[in-house]
């Protein structure tokens, strides 16, 4: 396997949630808000996203495997409605980067705090681990 850069160089942002998020990228997980089925659950407000960070939301990944796992707005792999806001975090309340479409989607300001069961199952499947050999 080749070298992979992990985003832990962010000033003042390194905490357990960020470390787990980045390590799940290493295991093959994508951002939840990039899933092809996202439009059923959230609306992306492109005009509210900092132009330098639009790649964190676009394009949707039509060829990424979801294994028919549920779309979880509280996934540690899902950004919050303040993340990368063009107006800055304080004014993101008025111009959020995304908003829920479905009542099952409870977006937070900073994204998921810890991996969900679906996050762990996605990691297990992307790594082709058997049911019995993978224990989060």
């Amino acid at each position: 396997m080749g070298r992979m850069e992990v985003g832990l160089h962010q000033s003042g942002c390194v905490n357990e949630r960020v470390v787990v998020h980045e390590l799940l990228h290493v295991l093959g997980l994508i951002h939840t808000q990039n899933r092809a089925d996202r439009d059923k659950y959230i609306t992306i407000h492109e005009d509210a996203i900092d132009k330098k960070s639009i790649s964190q939301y676009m394009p949707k990944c039509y060829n990424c495997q979801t294994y028919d796992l549920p779309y979880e707005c509280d996934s540690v792999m899902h950004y919050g409605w303040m993340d990368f806001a063009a107006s800055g975090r304080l004014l993101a309340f008025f111009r959020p980067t995304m908003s829920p479409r479905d009542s099952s989607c409870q977006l937070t300001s900073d994204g998921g705090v810890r991996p969900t069961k679906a996050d762990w199952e996605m990691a297990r499947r992307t790594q082709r681990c058997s049911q019995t050999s993978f224990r989060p």
Side-chain angles (χ1 to χ4, degrees), residues 6-131:
V6 177
L8 299 178
H9 58 277
Q10 304 155 7
S11 174
C13 294
V14 179
N15 55 42
E16 181 180 341
R17 180 181 60 82
V18 172
V19 171
V20 171
H21 174 99
E22 293 301 326
L23 290 175
L24 287 173
H25 277 311
V26 171
L27 292 175
L29 277 68
I30 64 164
H31 292 130
T32 307
Q33 71 272 2
N34 288 97
R35 284 175 48 151
D37 60 346
R38 74 169 182 210
D39 292 340
K40 295 177 193 172
Y41 304 95
I42 62 170
T43 299
I44 299 289
H45 305 293
E46 289 184 58
D47 62 317
I49 300 169
D50 178 22
K51 298 302 176 219
K52 295 179 298 221
S53 303
I54 197 74
S55 65
Q56 299 296 318
Y57 298 86
M58 303 293 180
K60 288 190 277 188
C61 187
Y62 289 101
N63 62 350
C64 291
Q65 185 58 260
T66 64
Y67 303 100
D68 293 319
L69 292 170
Y71 187 101
E72 295 182 319
C73 293
D74 61 341
S75 164
V76 75
M77 299 307 292
H78 203 299
Y79 284 154
W81 53 265
M82 289 175 117
D83 293 328
F84 303 104
S87 61
R89 292 183 64 77
L90 290 177
L91 296 177
F93 182 80
F94 301 104
R95 284 186 69 209
T97 56
M98 62 185 116
S99 56
R101 277 190 175 185
D102 188 272
S103 61
S104 70
C105 179
Q106 301 297 313
L107 290 173
T108 64
S109 59
D110 294 317
V113 176
R114 60 188 49 86
T116 63
K117 287 182 181 181
D119 289 333
W120 289 123
E121 182 62 14
M122 182 76 72
R124 184 187 73 76
R125 292 184 188 190
T126 58
Q127 294 301 305
R128 298 181 183 94
C129 296
S130 70
Q131 288 280 144

